[in-house]
């Protein structure tokens, strides 16, 4: 949803995760933006906040039907570079920036139009981390300024995040996703982006999963179903041009990412 190529765009692209191939055009956001946050339950996909211009807009689409996004409500303030995750009913926006790094966790009921409310705080203020969730807990990892912390919170209540563990390398602007048991995210350990995982039911540090197979940055798009995860877009690091790569991994099996297909539009600064 949205992103940069090189300026902000409003395009929404979609893929079928079970079938490798090229993305297709789904519709458009209510406003072009980059550095935005996205999240979804099984019915609705949502685009939250963003930059260029800075905004507090929350958009939604019904994922079963292609079409343009509809205005849902607003965040507590304009912000960008936060992390997004969700339960089956609630959506969460974690951290971000404007005019400084933020520690705020905001939430909203995804099936009821309205504005975000205060949920609690991250353990420290930051932007550009990876966010994902199990059916019961939300997570926010690392980010900028440089740090290795993994935060966790229980999504059905309200309150502050607590420490879960640490990633193995300081990292930001890379994606992450989770099925019901395992979360996988990117980090910068070498010239190529490494993939790392945690088992979300048990506190602890990240463990090496494999390699993305390329060097990149700039807020990759990401998503998964129960068996397969995908990472898409980013920069042609060390350059700053957006790319159209989509890679996939099998969530249950350690190993390197494989080619999935291509984005129909080169994208970066998506931050799904």
């Amino acid at each position: 949803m949205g992103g940069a190529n090189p300026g902000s765009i409003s395009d929404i692209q979609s893929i079928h995760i079970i079938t490798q191939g090229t993305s297709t055009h789904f519709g458009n956001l209510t406003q072009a933006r980059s550095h935005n946050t996205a999240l979804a339950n099984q019915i609705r996909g949502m685009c939250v906040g963003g930059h260029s211009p800075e905004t507090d807009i929350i958009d939604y689409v019904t994922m079963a039907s292609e079409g343009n996004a509809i205005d849902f409500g607003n965040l507590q303030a304009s912000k960008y570079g936060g992390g997004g995750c969700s339960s089956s009913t609630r959506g969460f926006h974690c951290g971000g920036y404007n005019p400084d790094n933020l520690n705020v966790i905001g939430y909203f009921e995804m099936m009821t139009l309205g504005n975000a409310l205060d949920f609690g705080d991250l353990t420290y203020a930051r932007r550009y981390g990876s966010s994902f969730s199990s059916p019961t807990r939300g997570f926010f990892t690392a980010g900028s300024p440089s740090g290795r912390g993994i935060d966790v919170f229980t999504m059905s209540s309200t309150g502050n995040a607590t420490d879960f563990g640490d990633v193995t390398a300081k990292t930001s602007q890379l994606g992450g996703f989770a099925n019901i048991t395992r979360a996988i995210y990117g980090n910068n350990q070498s010239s190529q982006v490494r993939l790392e995982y945690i088992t979300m039911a048990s506190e602890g540090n990240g463990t090496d999963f494999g390699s993305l197979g390329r060097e990149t940055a700039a807020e990759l798009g990401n998503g998964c179903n129960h068996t397969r995860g995908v990472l898409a877009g980013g920069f042609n690091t060390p350059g700053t041009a957006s790319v159209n790569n989509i890679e996939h991994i099998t969530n249950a099996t350690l190993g390197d990412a494989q080619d999935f297909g291509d984005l129909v539009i080169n994208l970066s600064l998506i931050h799904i």
Side-chain angles (χ1 to χ4, degrees):
M1 289 180 163
N5 178 24
S8 295
I9 66 172
S10 64
D11 190 73
I12 303 170
Q13 298 184 53
S14 66
I15 59 171
H16 292 280
I17 293 179
I18 61 173
T19 306
Q20 293 174 227
T22 301
S23 69
T24 59
H25 178 72
F26 183 95
N28 293 97
L29 298 171
T30 62
Q31 172 185 314
R33 70 194 87 158
S34 63
H35 301 77
N36 45 281
T37 299
L39 52 97
N41 61 13
Q42 291 185 322
I43 300 171
R44 285 181 170 177
M46 312 192 80
C47 181
V48 186
H51 186 260
S52 299
E54 293 174 13
T55 183
D56 62 358
I57 293 172
I58 305 172
D59 283 356
Y60 80 95
V61 296
T62 301
M63 293 189 293
S65 304
E66 293 182 2
N68 294 335
I70 299 170
D71 182 61
F72 179 92
N74 301 93
L75 293 170
Q76 306 101 308
S78 295
K79 59 187 81 173
Y80 63 92
C85 62
S86 63
S87 67
S88 60
T89 57
R90 282 181 168 182
F92 299 86
H93 183 280
C94 306
Y97 189 90
N98 188 18
D100 203 347
N101 290 306
L102 302 170
N103 67 352
V104 175
I105 305 172
Y107 79 100
F108 44 87
E109 301 295 333
M110 295 179 68
M111 302 311 296
T112 305
L113 303 188
N115 297 330
L117 302 172
D118 183 62
F119 180 91
D121 295 324
L122 298 171
T123 58
Y124 62 97
R126 58 208 197 263
R127 66 191 187 276
Y128 300 147
S130 297
S131 195
F132 40 79
S133 56
S134 72
T136 58
R137 301 208 286 181
F139 295 80
F140 190 78
T141 67
S144 179
S146 295
R148 297 187 181 182
I150 304 172
D151 283 7
V152 62
F153 55 90
T154 301
M155 295 185 290
S156 61
S157 59
T158 58
N160 295 335
T162 59
D163 180 61
F164 180 92
D166 293 305
V167 302
T168 59
K170 296 177 182 179
T171 185
S172 66
Q173 292 195 327
L174 293 168
F177 49 82
N179 61 14
I180 61 174
T181 58
R182 175 178 280 181
I184 299 165
Y185 51 89
N187 66 29
N188 285 317
Q189 290 184 338
S190 63
S191 60
Q192 293 187 345
V193 171
R194 297 297 299 178
L195 301 173
E196 189 168 290
Y197 77 94
I198 57 171
T199 301
M200 293 181 289
S202 304
E203 273 75 0
N205 297 332
T207 302
D208 186 64
F209 184 95
S211 172
L212 182 62
R214 60 186 170 105
E215 187 178 2
T216 189
E219 303 180 54
L220 281 66
N222 54 82
C224 72
N225 59 16
H226 292 304
T227 59
R228 175 181 281 178
V230 296
L231 291 158
F235 279 170
N236 63 337
T237 305
T240 57
S242 299
V243 299
N244 67 352
N245 300 59
I246 308 174
E247 287 89 11
H248 73 98
I249 58 94
T250 301
N251 299 336
T253 306
L254 304 188
D256 296 342
Q258 305 296 317
D259 182 61
F260 179 94
D262 296 314
L263 296 170
V264 70
I265 299 173
N266 293 17
L267 279 180
S268 59
L269 302 173
I270 316 165
H271 207 244
I272 299 177

